[in-house]
Every structure is written in C-alpha cells, then in structure tokens.
Amino acid sequence: MASVDGARSLLAASDETHEYACDPCESEEIEREARHYCVECQEYLCENCKQSHQKFKVSKNHKVLSASRFPKHALTAQQPSFTVYCSCNQNREVEVYCEDHVDVICNSCKVLSHRKCKLFSLRDKARNYSSEKLQSVLNKTKSLKNKIDHLHKEKRASVGELERQKNDIKKDIMLFRKELNTYLDKMEHNMLKDLATLQEKQTVAVNEEIVSLTAALERLSLELEMLEHAKQFDRKETMFASEMKVLKSLKEYETLAGDMHTYGTKPVLSFKKNKKITDILRSVDTLGCLKINMEVDPCSEKRKLKELGIRSSSQVDIPLPSDGNSLWISGCCFILSGDVVICDFLNKRLTLLDQNVALKDKLDLTSGPYSVSAADNNNVIITLPLKQQIQYVQIFPTMKAGRVIEVDKTCYGIYVFGGKLYTSLEKDNKGEVCILDLNGNLEKKIDVSQDGTSLFQLPYCITVSETGDEIFDGKTDIVTCMSADGYVIYQCKDDEIKGPRGIYVDAWNNVYFCGKETNNIAVITADGRFCRYLVSASEGLQKPCSVAFRGTDKILVVGCCRETNLFCFKLE
C-alpha cells in the first residue's frame, strides 16, 4: 500500500510506463489497475475508488492525478525514509516552519506562498525538540484512532442490531396476524414491505457513517506510521515536521469524530398494534405503525454534560452516629443499579443510598474510607488511607466488609477499569499512581514525567477515561492527564483551579472536578484548558470533595467536607 510523506523511501524510476495496482482494492485482495493517484494520501486508485475517494468529506478536496501524470517513483516498504516532504511539492524536503500557518514547507513554497509570513529555519525551530515531545502527539493520535475505531465498531454493530430488531418485529407482526382473519392478508403484506423499506433506509444511513469512519481509520493508521518512523529515527527536524503535519490533519479528524458523537444516536425500530382493528377491520388499511425511537447513546449524553445547566437542586440529610462528627463525604460513586455509595471519612462509615438518594444501608468500618469505585455488580472497592489499605466491600444483598489489600503507602484515590486497580498513593510527601491487578499485585508505577521531574506531591483523586487510554489525577492546584504508558499529555494549572478533588471524566475527556478551595464544580476541556464552573459557590457548596454523575437521568451528586448534607443537582 502507498505510504504517507516520509514514511517510506521514494526511489527514482525511469520514464517507462508502469502499471500500478489500486491500493484500496489490493487491501481487499482484489486486483484492479490504478488509473489515478492521490497526492495527499500517496495512494494509487482505480476508477471506482477514485470516485469514492472524492465523495468522502475528509478527502474530497485532495489533489488526484491521472495515469499520465503519475509520479516517477516506485514505493517500497523495505527501505524506510526519514525525510518529510512538502505537501505542495511532493519531491521537495521541508526546510522551513511557517508560524502563521503552523505548517512545515519547502523553500519553493516559502518564496511562492509564504513571503509575508513569519518563518523560521526548520533546523533552528527543532533545535530543542525531542522524542518525548513527539510521544505526546503520538499518544493523542492513538487515542483519537481508538475513539474512531470504537465508533466504527458501534456503527457496524448497529447494522446487525437493526436486522435483529426487524426480525423481532416481524415475529410480532405475524403473531398478531394470527389473531385476525383473512381480511388481514393485504395489510400484512403492506406492513412488512414498509418495515423492510424503513430498515433498509436506516441501514444505508449507518453505512454512510461507517464509510467515513473507515476512511478516517485508514488515514490515521498512515499518520501513526509516519510518527513511529520519525520517532525511531530520532532526528529532531523530522520529528518536529512530523508533528506539525499530523497536528494539522488531526483537527480534521477531531471534527469528524466530534460530529459523529454529536449525532451519537441509533435508530430503534418498533411496532405498535392497532387495538381497534378487530372492530373496524373493514375500514382500515394497516396493521399498526412503525416508528423509530432514537435511543440516546450514553457517551453522547455524557458529552452534553459540558453544556448542561442546573434545573433543580436539593440537599439530602445523611443520618449520623449519635456520637458522630459532621459529614466529610470524601468519595462517592454510582453503581450499576443506579444507587450511590458515599464515603463518610470522619465517621468511618460507608453509606448506600437508593436511586432516589434515600438511605438504603450503611456499614461502619474500623477506619475512615476516603475513595470508592464500583468493582462489579455487587461489590465496590475503597481506600483506607490511615491504615494503608485497599478493601473490597459487598453491597448486595447486604453491605459487608470483604478482603483487604495491604499497601506500603497512604492510598487516596481508587478507580477500577478493565480488570485493573488504579490508585494514587503518597509517602514522605512524594506521590505516585500505581496500576494493580485485582489481587493487589503491582503492574506499573508512574511517579515522574518524561523529563524525570516528579509528577505528584499529594495525589488525592484519580480516574480513567472510558477508553482506558488516559489517566487523570488531581493534586494541590494541578489536574494531570497522562497516557496509560505514563507520558504526560497535559498538566492544567490555572488561577481558577484551587484544591481539585473528586475527578469525573466524560466520554470525550472533559474533566469535571470539585474546587475545594473555590466551593464549586469546575470543568476542564479535553485539550487541558480551564473552561467554566458547572456549579458555582452560590449553590451553597462548602469545601466540596467528591462528585459523581448518573447519565440516565442527569443527576449530579456532590459531597462536602464538614457538612451534614449531600448536594444533589438535576441537570438539563
């Protein structure tokens, strides 16, 4: 298959006419002669693939050459090239960085198109560049590719789901038909025909999305290949130029992924019986009606959290022990049943509230629980920092303390994802994030950044993105986003961030956290920038420490330090 700029060598060829195979067809094990060549993708295309290529939003404006203008080179995967070529002049190496256009260009483009721009020598601009910087872009590209791959799989699965729904409805129609008499023959035929048409129409719509995602995945794979080669060669100019080219194209695919999630719904076909049909059989011409219930994708709902406001708010009284302190709700989480579990640190108690946020059960412990995460349908896992322990707790049918995992440091945050325990620990004012298996065996420790500096001091909270590619941690006045490999993606430091606690992350890596010192719930966007306050201090929050969100009915609960109530917000 043809390569991205700089990903493979370009070898000189003679002026003879060469026959090339269509790259997309070749990947499908079909042999078709190429009649066109896409300059941007460096792909040979047959007539059919060329037409499809120019239909896609991401590639419709690409420069496509006819066979008579094919570039005079042969492509090979055996000899890697470590040169990044100019987008406009495919055979010219990039030598200049244009700050105005955030692009790398050749000297010809510098003279022809960028004379009034602010320009720098590529060598000077990349003088202090390193493979660690490229790794951050590599991580972002991988993460975006994983998200689009996830969308791609979801859309493909929805095609089969539509077929299954059609078959289920078909059975319902036939059962209903048996209750009626011979007058229903014509109506049954029309109804099944309408069902097939509706299903086919929706399938076509989903397939169009799949085509766009397929094209994006192929292009992102090529971008990743270029980044990997650039990192392997470790040439500063190449790595910097590779980043510039990839960042420019990533915006396009981020827009594609964002647009796809904006319409993150799937059609659900259903059939509704006409109950009056037995009385007015001779006067009707249909068995019922078909409709599409747009079932909202949970990921889409979470993404909308960024635009949500408060519809209503309330405070829930939590019963205290007769000799107890005021509440310090240091941690809380929703479990699969929709119930919420809260950690009362000062009173050494774990409390279970039902879906209406009313008391359901409680469990007194020997030490104060600080953080909680759902382990499975029936159990949660908590941290006991004063005992340096992690403990399982059974929730159903009754609350019961379970097995304990000993750690050698003070453990604060805990989050369960993909069969792993992510926990934040501290000892002697030095913090770290550890990834453990479910039995507490250490699999990975993260404590320093790429440049060897310490990442954490007092890491109080931790969570993981829905793809598992990013880990989020909060300490004194900083929110850190890092890859699962331990590379820092960003560290958000802002005057508005004071004492982050209780981090929650949505499907698009927007971060929601308690501002303990500012008495509010704040939002950081996926690119690591402070956005706004979701809940302000005017709502009565006093030193909020924990937050949890239930997407099914948009309920946000917030626990505070030294309060007697749990705050509950209905969002819209």
Side-chain angles (χ1 to χ4, degrees):
M1 187 172 181
S3 68
V4 177
D5 298 344
R8 295 176 183 164
S9 293
L10 301 181
L11 304 180
S14 66
D15 293 333
E16 299 175 351
T17 301
H18 295 279
E19 290 187 1
Y20 295 91
C22 174
D23 287 319
C25 291
E26 189 176 29
S27 65
E28 300 291 336
E29 299 183 354
I30 302 173
E31 292 188 5
R32 289 198 179 98
E33 184 179 351
R35 295 295 183 185
H36 304 275
Y37 177 77
C38 176
V39 174
E40 279 80 358
C41 298
Q42 290 200 0
E43 257 191 340
Y44 291 97
L45 307 168
C46 66
E47 189 64 39
N48 291 337
C49 291
K50 178 249 186 182
Q51 294 177 7
S52 299
H53 198 70
Q54 294 184 326
K55 287 181 180 179
F56 299 149
K57 182 179 179 180
V58 296
S59 58
K60 66 180 181 180
N61 294 321
H62 286 186
K63 183 178 180 181
V64 177
L65 305 178
S66 61
S68 61
R69 300 176 61 198
F70 276 1
K72 297 179 180 180
H73 61 70
L75 300 172
T76 175
Q78 284 72 36
Q79 178 63 38
S81 168
F82 305 105
T83 301
V84 177
Y85 293 98
C86 180
S87 299
C88 298
N89 297 306
Q90 295 296 307
N91 296 320
R92 296 291 300 273
E93 181 180 355
V94 294
E95 300 173 89
V96 179
Y97 171 66
C98 175
E99 188 172 89
D100 293 348
H101 293 89
V102 194
D103 198 4
V104 284
I105 57 176
C106 65
N107 280 324
S108 294
C109 291
K110 168 186 174 181
V111 176
L112 294 175
S113 307
H114 297 263
R115 285 179 294 178
K116 297 182 179 180
C117 296
K118 189 175 182 180
L119 304 174
F120 298 90
S121 163
L122 188 60
R123 182 180 299 276
D124 292 340
K125 196 66 179 177
R127 190 179 305 279
N128 297 320
Y129 202 81
S130 65
S131 60
E132 286 77 13
K133 173 67 173 175
L134 186 65
Q135 181 66 42
S136 177
V137 181
L138 190 63
N139 291 335
K140 184 176 181 180
T141 306
K142 286 180 179 178
S143 177
L144 181 58
K145 182 176 182 292
N146 288 338
K147 287 181 173 67
I148 292 183
D149 183 55
H150 179 69
L151 278 170
H152 183 264
K153 290 176 181 177
E154 277 191 344
K155 296 301 180 182
R156 290 183 65 88
S158 67
V159 174
E161 180 65 15
L162 282 169
E163 182 67 26
R164 184 194 64 77
Q165 293 168 10
K166 185 196 79 171
N167 293 334
D168 289 346
I169 294 174
K170 185 175 180 179
K171 292 177 182 178
D172 291 340
I173 293 171
M174 295 178 70
L175 287 174
F176 185 42
R177 172 68 180 83
K178 290 179 181 179
E179 299 175 6
L180 308 176
N181 55 36
T182 56
Y183 292 105
L184 302 179
D185 289 339
K186 182 178 180 180
M187 288 185 286
E188 179 188 15
H189 173 76
N190 292 337
M191 182 60 66
L192 293 176
K193 183 178 179 180
D194 291 344
L195 173 62
T197 300
L198 189 59
Q199 181 267 337
E200 181 180 1
K201 181 179 179 180
Q202 295 304 314
T203 300
V204 169
V206 175
N207 277 327
E208 288 178 354
E209 295 178 321
I210 291 174
V211 169
S212 296
L213 292 171
T214 299
L217 283 172
E218 291 176 354
R219 183 66 187 276
L220 280 170
S221 295
L222 294 175
E223 302 282 17
L224 281 171
E225 184 179 344
M226 179 178 69
L227 290 172
E228 293 285 5
H229 278 291
K231 180 184 175 185
Q232 179 182 4
F233 185 60
D234 202 25
R235 180 187 174 198
K236 294 181 178 181
E237 291 88 342
T238 301
M239 291 187 292
F240 177 79
S242 299
E243 178 190 359
M244 292 300 101
K245 290 185 69 66
V246 171
L247 285 177
K248 190 172 184 179
S249 61
L250 283 185
K251 293 180 181 179
E252 183 177 356
Y253 293 104
E254 286 174 338
T255 300
L256 171 65
D259 289 344
M260 200 68 74
H261 253 287
T262 300
Y263 304 99
T265 57
K266 58 181 180 180
V268 178
L269 306 176
S270 65
F271 171 72
K272 182 178 179 181
K273 293 181 182 179
N274 187 341
K275 296 181 179 179
K276 297 181 180 180
I277 197 168
T278 53
D279 298 329
I280 55 174
L281 187 61
R282 294 180 182 274
S283 62
V284 298
D285 57 0
T286 177
L287 286 175
C289 65
L290 293 168
K291 65 177 183 178
I292 302 173
N293 296 323
M294 302 306 288
E295 185 176 287
V296 179
D297 189 319
C299 290
S300 176
E301 281 297 291
K302 288 183 179 180
R303 183 169 182 259
K304 293 176 185 176
L305 183 60
K306 185 179 176 182
E307 290 93 33
L308 292 179
I310 299 174
R311 179 178 179 183
S312 62
S313 63
S314 60
Q315 297 184 36
V316 181
D317 291 325
I318 307 297
L320 298 172
S322 58
D323 58 346
N325 303 289
S326 58
L327 286 176
W328 180 354
I329 304 177
S330 54
C332 60
C333 76
F334 282 103
I335 55 180
L336 188 62
S337 63
D339 297 347
V340 61
V341 181
I342 63 173
C343 296
D344 184 354
F345 183 74
L346 287 182
N347 293 295
K348 303 177 183 179
R349 174 176 285 185
L350 202 64
T351 303
L352 177 66
L353 307 177
D354 65 17
Q355 296 183 26
N356 297 316
V357 203
L359 180 64
K360 189 173 184 178
D361 202 354
K362 60 182 182 295
L363 177 67
D364 291 320
L365 302 164
T366 58
S367 184
Y370 189 84
S371 183
V372 59
S373 177
D376 52 44
N377 294 346
N378 298 318
N379 298 275
V380 296
I381 191 165
I382 61 174
T383 58
L384 303 172
L386 298 182
K387 282 195 168 186
Q388 296 187 350
Q389 292 177 342
I390 296 171
Q391 184 170 26
Y392 284 87
V393 176
Q394 174 186 290
I395 298 298
F396 301 112
T398 58
M399 297 185 74
K400 180 180 179 182
R403 63 189 178 93
V404 170
I405 297 172
E406 301 285 347
V407 293
D408 60 355
K409 297 178 178 65
T410 303
C411 49
Y412 290 105
I414 189 75
Y415 193 82
V416 181
F417 178 84
K420 309 292 181 186
L421 304 181
Y422 295 77
T423 183
S424 55
L425 305 101
E426 178 270 335
K427 185 175 183 179
D428 298 330
N429 213 30
K430 294 180 180 179
E432 62 187 36
V433 167
C434 290
I435 304 175
L436 316 173
D437 64 19
L438 296 180
N439 294 316
N441 299 311
L442 179 65
E443 294 193 355
K444 187 176 184 62
K445 181 174 74 172
I446 305 170
D447 55 357
V448 295
S449 63
Q450 298 96 306
D451 59 7
T453 58
S454 177
L455 279 174
F456 315 107
Q457 187 174 15
L458 292 173
Y460 288 115
C461 48
I462 189 171
T463 192
V464 179
S465 66
E466 290 201 352
T467 63
D469 296 322
E470 296 87 17
I471 304 171
F472 298 84
D473 179 273
K475 61 176 183 179
T476 310
D477 293 322
I478 300 173
V479 174
T480 301
C481 172
M482 69 196 90
S483 72
D485 296 327
Y487 285 90
V488 174
I489 298 174
Y490 69 74
Q491 282 194 310
C492 185
K493 303 177 184 180
D494 194 284
D495 292 340
E496 306 296 337
I497 300 176
K498 300 294 181 183
R501 299 289 190 276
I503 288 181
Y504 168 79
V505 177
D506 66 19
W508 280 88
N509 289 358
N510 297 310
V511 180
Y512 309 84
F513 63 92
C514 300
K516 185 180 178 183
E517 305 304 325
T518 48
N519 300 321
N520 44 44
I521 305 299
V523 182
I524 294 175
T525 55
D527 58 357
R529 298 176 182 274
F530 178 82
C531 178
R532 68 184 181 97
Y533 294 127
L534 181 63
V535 181
S536 66
S538 62
E539 298 295 333
L541 298 182
Q542 292 294 324
K543 295 189 179 302
C545 294
S546 58
V547 62
F549 180 70
R550 185 170 64 197
T552 54
D553 52 0
K554 302 181 182 67
I555 294 296
L556 183 80
V557 296
V558 180
C560 296
C561 173
R562 305 288 182 174
E563 283 289 327
T564 59
N565 299 318
L566 177 73
F567 287 80
C568 184
F569 300 97
K570 174 73 174 178
L571 305 180
E572 65 177 357

